Amino acid sequence: MRVVIAEDSVLLREGLVGLLSRFGFDVVAAVGDAAALVTAVEQTAPDLVVTDVRMPPGFTDEGLRAAVVALSQYVQHSYAGELLGSGQGRAIGYLLKDRVADVAEFADMLRRVAEGGTVVDPEVVRQLMLRGRDPIEHLSPREREVLALVAEGHSNAAIARMLTLTEAGVGKHIGNVLAKLRLPVSDDTNRRVLAVLTYLRGRP
Amino acid sequence: MTSTTTLLRAVMRPGFLLSTWPWRGIAYTLTTAVASGLLWLVLSVPLAPLALAIGVLRTEGARAVEAAPHWWAGTYVSVAVVLSLVGVGLLALTVPRLATAVAGIERWRLRLADDAPAVARRSGNLYTDPATWRSVAYLLLLGIVAPVWLGVLGLAGLLVVSTPIAVHYRLVTMESTGSAVSRAVLGLVLIPAVLYLTSAFGGGHAALARLLLCCEPDPAAAELVEVTRSRARLADAFDAERHRIERDLHDVAQQRLVSLTMQLGLARLDLPSGSPAAVAVASAHDHAKTLMAELRDLIRGISPQTLRELGLRAAIEELAAGSPLRVHVDVDPGRFPPAVETVAYAAVSEALANAVKHAAATEATVAARRSGVMLTVQVRDDGHGGADPSRGSGITGLADRAAAAGGRLRISSPPGGPTTLRVELPCAS
């Protein structure tokens, strides 16, 4: 798994290199600004790009096949939406920088994106779900848990594991939840993440 | 030693004749004469009916002496009364306005005789303003007193001006040269005397004009303005310092803390689980994670980036999302001046925090509306109330910051709740 890291803070950049190496990623380049990032991506054709939100690679760039994880200092709902909506089929992740504190979870999230999934930081989802009221309030607590995990980008199998349910049970819950929110029922993880997030953000 | 700034003072000093003051005195006196003449010209209109009334009455008085019939007398008296009423009415309408206009012109003209700035002060409406009636008194000064001394000066001036002619006449008509010489000497001596007299009278008039028409600036008002400005400057300096601290905390301290936490997390992985080292490092790691969250909250309390970059509504929504309460947000979109946004945000943050800490609330509403030039922010929670600003400095500090920004803070928190905090801030943009 070849990774390019772009982060302007030296301390954090070094830390990320160490962390990713420790978990078996092959860090082919670690740069400190947007221009260097473009060059590095062109030259090394990585599988995954981990970058600060302020210097994302151009999303209209056809040449970029890599999955992208954007790291942000604080929650920016508008940016999250933009990022996830513009992926064009590419795997995307939006994580808060604080997430690196839990090293194993962080590495796992990166791996999920690298393998084609969509990942949204749990804190972002939590904030979105706290806003406003109905009809989220009409969901049972279990259904709310399921919704949160769907929004974070987990697959049905992963959710089943986390909540100790059967995959079939998870599928049923998800179907109920999406129907209550009047969202299209889909097993495509990435598409439903986007749908749920758009729904959550659009609430008053 | 006072500097010579007025004509009157200049007259009393030695060296008066050698300065520019005599010329200014002449200029001021001449223009006073012109002003006085113009004043009579303008006043002739409203005064005409009164003059006519007097004329009618005198005629009537003359006829009464000739024992005219009564009905004849009655008509004249009533005509005189009507004319008087019209005259008085005209005067009441025109004189205050005229006086105010003349006051303005005379203050400008005063610059010839007085170097100090001439400031006017108005209060109330035209008829209740004491300045108006002082201006009317000045009209009397200009219209009645001035002609008197102007007349005296005119005579003296004539004497001076006529000296060469008189001397020439005496010489031509062969009167004794002695009388011609004495006449010439008289003329010469009169020149400085006339100069002094002109400036003395003019200076006296100018001093009275200053007394009647100008106001000394109120020292208390000047002080108040300075206090308000310095308080605003202090608040600005305070905000700038807070930004600086937030910058330093964010760029330096936070980065290093994240790095440290990451390293501890990695270290945990390599230690045999259950060993004392693993337990210790795990504990250190947890502390570091907590510290990260606390530092982030601290920075956000000081000067949130969201507020600076995305504005008040985004920042309040973030506050609401991070709060354990259910918070309903209804904030006008758009940006406000930075000082206003800072205080508004601080108020909402404090109110929400208090609702959780002290009032055990479960829900809150945050509304911020701009109407005209005022931004009104209101936070209402369903807690048990009882907020007392005198206990704890949070609310009073907020009130000070609101006042420094030109606004005010009000709080209603009866025991049993609910609590409502309202901040009104002027925003010019």
Side-chain angles (χ1 to χ4, degrees):
Chain A
M1 190 65 60
R2 295 152 55 79
V3 184
V4 167
I5 297 175
E7 167 58 54
D8 50 354
S9 154
V10 175
L11 272 175
L12 191 53
R13 190 166 69 234
E14 308 280 281
L16 282 171
V17 171
L19 192 159
L20 289 175
S21 308
R22 171 71 179 70
F23 280 93
F25 290 86
D26 178 15
V27 181
V28 296
V31 299
D33 60 75
L37 174 61
V38 169
T39 318
V41 167
E42 274 170 15
Q43 285 177 349
T44 64
D47 304 306
L48 173 68
V49 173
V50 178
T51 170
D52 186 297
V53 284
R54 286 164 300 167
M55 24 177 196
F59 287 115
T60 53
D61 187 355
E62 290 304 320
L64 183 66
R65 297 255 170 273
V68 175
V69 170
L71 296 180
S72 176
Q73 195 68 55
Y74 57 93
V75 180
Q76 266 174 293
H77 293 293
S78 53
Y79 187 77
E82 259 176 60
L83 181 67
L84 294 164
S86 69
Q88 295 165 335
R90 191 190 299 122
I92 301 275
Y94 181 75
L95 297 177
L96 296 181
K97 283 194 185 173
D98 281 6
R99 201 55 54 200
V100 303
D102 289 314
V103 290
E105 282 85 351
F106 183 70
D108 181 59
M109 286 174 176
L110 291 188
R111 203 175 294 282
R112 274 164 49 203
V113 173
E115 286 166 2
T118 304
V119 172
V120 177
D121 194 292
E123 176 63 18
V124 175
V125 173
R126 186 189 76 87
Q127 285 191 11
L128 279 177
M129 289 191 57
L130 276 183
R131 276 166 63 183
R133 309 165 189 208
D134 323 298
I136 298 280
E137 281 189 356
H138 291 313
L139 298 177
S140 72
R142 177 63 101 191
E143 284 170 340
R144 247 176 274 170
E145 273 181 311
V146 169
L147 179 64
L149 292 176
V150 166
E152 285 172 33
H154 294 284
S155 65
N156 286 21
I159 297 178
R161 256 199 328 273
M162 290 193 223
L163 301 181
T164 53
L165 298 170
T166 63
E167 243 186 88
V170 165
K172 198 158 67 81
H173 276 301
I174 292 181
N176 287 342
V177 167
L178 292 178
K180 277 190 192 172
L181 301 182
R182 281 186 280 277
L183 292 174
V185 180
S186 163
D187 270 342
D188 181 323
T189 317
N190 301 344
R191 220 171 274 161
R192 64 186 190 197
V193 168
L194 190 57
V196 171
L197 283 180
T198 311
Y199 168 79
L200 288 175
R201 282 182 56 227
R203 280 149 65 234
Chain B
M1 173 164 162
T2 53
S3 57
T4 315
T5 56
T6 68
L7 187 56
L8 200 56
R9 275 211 203 105
V11 165
M12 297 196 271
R13 292 188 172 275
F16 162 71
L17 285 174
L18 298 170
S19 64
T20 55
W21 282 106
W23 306 106
R24 292 173 69 170
I26 292 177
Y28 188 69
T29 308
L30 279 175
T31 48
T32 307
V34 170
S36 186
L38 281 176
L39 179 65
W40 275 106
L41 205 64
V42 170
L43 274 179
S44 61
V45 172
L47 282 178
L50 277 177
L52 260 172
I54 294 172
V56 165
L57 280 176
R58 287 183 60 212
T59 324
E60 165 55 19
R63 283 178 193 275
V65 167
E66 291 169 28
H70 278 287
W71 61 266
W72 207 231
T75 318
Y76 270 91
V77 168
S78 43
V79 164
V81 164
V82 164
L83 276 174
S84 309
L85 284 175
V86 166
V88 166
L90 266 178
L91 275 180
L93 272 176
T94 56
V95 163
R97 283 185 185 76
L98 180 68
T100 313
V102 167
I105 298 171
E106 287 298 290
R107 269 191 291 271
W108 176 79
R109 199 169 66 84
L110 193 58
R111 287 187 306 178
L112 280 172
D114 191 333
D115 286 332
V119 177
R121 187 159 47 166
R122 309 282 297 276
S123 63
N125 73 25
L126 190 62
Y127 288 90
T128 61
D129 188 358
T132 312
W133 301 110
R134 286 204 298 270
S135 306
V136 171
Y138 180 78
L139 279 187
L140 289 174
L141 183 73
L142 185 61
I144 297 176
V145 175
V148 172
W149 55 265
L150 282 170
V152 169
L153 277 179
L155 278 175
L158 261 176
L159 264 177
V160 169
V161 163
S162 66
T163 302
I165 303 173
V167 167
H168 176 83
Y169 175 75
R170 283 171 203 214
L171 284 176
V172 162
T173 56
M174 301 298 187
E175 286 180 24
S176 67
T177 43
S179 74
V181 165
S182 60
R183 186 67 175 79
V185 165
L186 177 70
L188 274 174
V189 162
L190 268 181
I191 293 178
V194 164
L195 285 176
Y196 263 104
L197 262 181
T198 312
S199 293
F201 277 123
H205 184 93
L208 281 171
R210 172 155 278 275
L211 202 66
L212 285 173
L213 301 178
C214 306
C215 300
E216 298 313 316
D218 181 7
E223 230 174 75
L224 258 171
V225 168
E226 180 50 35
V227 166
T228 310
R229 270 206 292 257
S230 79
R231 196 156 63 160
R233 273 201 307 271
L234 211 64
D236 283 341
F238 185 52
D239 280 340
E241 188 65 10
R242 281 156 72 100
H243 284 165
R244 192 188 64 77
I245 292 177
E246 184 262 354
R247 263 287 75 123
D248 286 347
L249 275 177
H250 178 281
D251 291 346
V252 179
Q254 203 168 32
Q255 303 291 348
R256 196 173 285 283
L257 183 54
V258 169
S259 184
L260 171 68
T261 313
M262 216 176 3
Q263 280 186 319
L264 284 173
L266 285 173
R268 270 175 92 168
L269 299 172
D270 292 332
L271 292 170
S273 67
S275 69
V279 170
V281 171
S283 170
H285 187 219
D286 289 336
H287 276 313
K289 282 196 285 187
T290 311
L291 184 55
M292 268 175 65
E294 285 173 354
L295 187 61
R296 191 169 293 289
D297 282 344
L298 182 74
I299 290 178
R300 201 170 36 195
I302 291 177
S303 169
Q305 215 165 345
T306 321
L307 181 67
R308 277 204 311 277
E309 293 181 18
L310 301 175
L312 189 62
R313 180 153 91 157
I316 290 185
E317 283 174 348
E318 195 181 295
L319 265 182
S323 168
L325 305 170
R326 292 208 143 266
V327 183
H328 186 67
V329 176
D330 179 15
V331 174
D332 272 354
R335 303 296 306 253
F336 304 92
V340 168
E341 283 192 336
T342 312
V343 177
Y345 177 86
V348 172
S349 175
E350 179 80 16
L352 290 178
N354 284 350
V356 173
K357 257 191 303 195
H358 303 303
T362 57
E363 276 189 37
T365 315
V366 179
R369 287 246 161 282
R370 186 216 296 263
S371 65
V373 294
M374 204 66 125
L375 171 69
T376 304
V377 181
Q378 184 161 297
V379 182
R380 191 189 169 86
D381 69 66
D382 67 349
H384 57 59
D388 182 1
S390 55
R391 276 187 300 125
S393 63
I395 306 244
T396 42
L398 268 181
D400 282 341
R401 290 180 73 184
R408 69 175 171 181
L409 180 147
R410 293 192 283 188
I411 183 165
S412 147
S413 186
T419 305
T420 307
L421 181 132
R422 182 192 295 206
V423 180
E424 289 154 8
L425 298 163
C427 47
S429 58

